Amino acid sequence: MKTCQELRNAIGPFVEGDLAPADAEIVAEHIEECADCQAIERDYRALAELLSPAPHAPSRDEDPAWRRFDAELAERLHHEDTRRHGLRIPVPLAAAAAILLLFTGGLSLRSIRKNSQLVEDNARLAEALIQIQSQRNVLGLDSTRRIIPVQRVNNVLRPMAASESTDGEPQAGDTARDPFQPKGLKLSDAETLATVSFTPQPVTTPATARRAKKKPVEIRLINYEGVTEPGLY
Amino acid sequence: MGDIVRLEEKQRSTPGAPGVESPDNEIAALGRRDPKRGLALLVAKYRRPLFRHAYHMLRNAEEAYETVQEVFLRAYREKRLFNDGFHIKGWLYRVTANLCLKQIRSRRVRSVFASRKQAEPPPPNDLLPVTQAIEGETREEIMAAIDKLPPRFRSLIVLRYYDGFSYKEIADTLSMPIGSVMSGLSRARDKLRKMLADKLQLEDFSS
């Protein structure tokens, strides 16, 4: 025979119909005989009533707040991708660079500066893309696209090839290559898929925020052959 | 006209394609082929209920919003997410519940340094259920009572009553033995019973 105290934990599940029939019978019998437990049962029923969740409005995914949620998430996921693809400066390298900077005054750090420029440009590019996509109710359900690393030439962001070593004018017939090209995918062509002008908005990292200028920049997107599945690139 | 015909053909051509309403295992199967599409579906399916959970735990819409963003960011990093047999819903709620508890703890630490209580911004209406089962004052009182519960108990009450979890699901989500869930809920109910004594009498009287 279980004691009153032992059975008390079961009154909640009993009220909510979560007990097996045999157990429910035991609890019901006890409640019949015990005034304290009757009071508890009564209150728990009232409590369950009070706590019953509100009926939900039908899902309204077009709500601006949820669009903002999706767009912001897409942006964060993109930053995550950028980070994963190794565009950040690795910690040991950064430490070495800092030490080097002490001795050289930063004169020999062209490549590192270029790297951080790349991160910055990608961040701006991602942001522009999110702006474009958010107009189409994103989580990017229309994309055969992928953002590729770029560099700024005359204030135009231009796809950067893996082997590119100097900052020069874009050459005629210059083919865009993507150093982070996914395995097994071929660029369908080097032409730009879209050219969009935008005015950079305030961005999250202090470095980019400082450097964001209010000039329109061209954004170029690259198409992959045979990639038709949507995704968050 | 032509567009409509094409659309119908397109829909027919992918009869079994998982959507937002699909069970998690179907979304997972898609996620194994295309993680980003799988994640997009999970976001569309779970952002609302997770936000509701976080909001009931934190009672601050901005914090709840940030918490749910973080949950999906972690989901994106989680390598096992779409594995066969991985319990997606349980994982999402577990991460949400833990982040909420962590957030509440960090508030306490902050409040040592800044004790002034900030006015809580009203929740964005479009993120919360439009119709409420219980009207204004009573609802506020219930919310206030739940707020006074220790965070662990609050988790239990929110999962049980607002998220409609079974005892087993709560036990899995919070990584607790089912016996502890039962006794914890029992103690939480008792606390609420004491705090809401007036309301309960009234409720009882009316029924």
Side-chain angles (χ1 to χ4, degrees):
Chain A
M1 187 68 191
K2 295 216 170 197
T3 66
C4 183
Q5 196 56 46
E6 281 172 323
L7 284 172
R8 213 161 265 188
N9 280 351
I11 296 177
F14 169 73
V15 164
E16 289 151 24
D18 285 322
L19 288 187
D23 293 339
E25 204 171 312
I26 295 171
V27 176
E29 271 174 25
H30 172 76
I31 290 175
E32 283 286 304
E33 299 159 0
C34 173
D36 280 355
C37 286
Q38 270 171 30
I40 293 174
E41 188 221 356
R42 196 185 54 226
D43 280 356
Y44 277 7
R45 283 196 194 282
L47 191 63
E49 189 82 13
L50 283 179
L51 290 174
S52 64
H56 292 296
S59 182
R60 292 178 301 148
D61 286 342
E62 70 281 9
D63 279 347
W66 286 120
R67 278 215 300 276
R68 177 166 78 99
F69 183 93
D70 288 350
E72 207 170 311
L73 184 62
E75 182 179 15
R76 287 182 183 181
L77 294 181
H78 177 72
H79 280 301
E80 182 81 5
D81 272 346
T82 314
R83 206 171 58 84
R84 273 189 201 172
H85 280 128
L87 277 177
R88 69 183 163 169
I89 305 165
V91 174
L93 184 63
I99 294 166
L100 205 62
L101 188 72
L102 282 177
F103 291 104
T104 63
L107 287 174
S108 58
L109 293 177
R110 271 185 65 98
S111 64
I112 288 171
R113 273 208 304 276
K114 197 168 151 189
N115 233 349
S116 42
Q117 178 73 49
L118 204 60
V119 173
E120 189 183 307
D121 283 349
N122 265 289
R124 298 177 67 186
L125 192 59
E127 198 176 320
L129 193 70
I130 279 161
Q131 283 178 19
I132 299 160
Q133 285 190 328
S134 63
Q135 289 159 12
R136 296 186 198 163
N137 199 9
V138 207
L139 274 193
L141 296 186
D142 127 90
S143 59
T144 53
R145 293 161 179 189
R146 177 180 150 78
I147 299 174
I148 75 161
V150 288
Q151 66 179 158
R152 190 186 291 122
V153 180
N154 296 337
N155 210 28
V156 169
L157 299 183
R158 188 168 78 82
M160 186 184 138
S163 59
E164 206 150 24
S165 57
T166 54
D167 295 359
E169 290 292 317
Q171 301 298 309
D174 212 7
T175 325
R177 276 161 294 161
D178 176 3
F180 304 105
Q181 183 165 349
K183 254 191 183 163
L185 289 186
K186 258 169 51 186
L187 279 174
S188 65
D189 53 45
E191 282 178 42
T192 52
L193 182 71
T195 308
V196 183
S197 287
F198 85 113
T199 308
Q201 300 296 308
V203 275
T204 41
T205 62
T208 38
R210 220 172 29 246
R211 303 186 63 136
K213 289 175 190 153
K214 285 190 179 162
K215 278 186 183 172
V217 201
E218 267 183 90
I219 304 297
R220 295 174 182 191
L221 304 170
I222 297 300
N223 219 355
Y224 277 107
E225 246 173 34
V227 180
T228 51
E229 282 296 314
L232 293 166
Y233 288 101
Chain B
M1 278 302 282
D3 283 345
I4 294 168
V5 172
R6 264 207 304 280
L7 192 67
E8 278 172 359
E9 274 170 6
K10 198 176 169 191
Q11 278 170 352
R12 258 205 308 276
S13 70
T14 53
V20 173
E21 303 295 331
S22 302
D24 287 353
N25 58 353
E26 284 176 23
I27 297 180
L30 171 73
R32 283 194 285 279
R33 295 196 303 276
D34 180 352
K36 294 193 171 171
R37 175 89 180 122
L39 185 69
L41 284 180
L42 287 182
V43 171
K45 182 175 179 182
Y46 283 110
R47 59 187 176 184
R48 237 165 226 278
L50 292 179
F51 178 83
R52 194 174 65 230
H53 176 92
Y55 181 74
H56 282 301
M57 285 301 290
L58 300 167
R59 296 273 283 141
N60 176 314
E62 262 319 297
E63 284 181 1
Y65 181 98
E66 280 305 315
T67 301
V68 180
Q69 288 264 330
E70 177 65 25
V71 170
F72 287 119
L73 209 55
R74 290 189 185 197
Y76 187 54
R77 290 180 202 141
E78 174 59 63
K79 299 225 173 358
R80 301 165 301 165
L81 188 68
F82 295 122
N83 282 3
D84 207 10
F86 188 75
H87 190 200
I88 294 176
K89 181 183 172 191
W91 186 90
L92 288 172
Y93 272 93
R94 180 158 55 249
V95 174
T96 311
N98 286 336
L99 284 174
C100 287
L101 291 172
K102 195 172 150 198
Q103 178 68 16
I104 291 169
R105 273 199 302 276
S106 79
R107 269 189 207 157
R108 283 195 209 138
V109 174
R110 273 205 305 275
S111 67
V112 172
F113 298 100
S115 57
R116 78 193 157 86
K117 194 176 189 300
Q118 283 189 338
E120 182 194 314
N125 287 330
D126 31 6
L127 296 185
L128 289 175
V130 174
T131 37
Q132 299 289 351
I134 300 152
E135 289 308 314
E137 234 177 272
T138 309
R139 198 171 65 86
E140 277 310 307
E141 257 182 80
I142 297 166
M143 291 287 201
I146 293 175
D147 279 355
K148 282 187 202 138
L149 292 175
R152 266 285 163 190
F153 286 170
R154 206 185 311 168
S155 264
L156 291 170
I157 291 287
V158 170
L159 285 170
R160 179 75 189 113
Y161 291 100
Y162 290 103
D163 301 322
F165 274 34
S166 70
Y167 287 77
K168 171 84 171 62
E169 283 176 314
I170 299 175
D172 290 346
T173 302
L174 299 180
S175 311
M176 294 164 75
I178 199 157
S180 309
V181 173
M182 284 179 78
S183 60
L185 265 172
S186 187
R187 286 174 63 195
R189 279 196 206 92
D190 270 341
K191 282 176 189 285
L192 287 177
R193 183 176 169 231
K194 289 199 179 82
M195 283 190 272
L196 294 169
D198 301 349
K199 292 286 157 203
L200 295 178
Q201 301 283 310
L202 209 66
E203 191 75 14
D204 198 40
F205 190 71
S206 66
S207 63

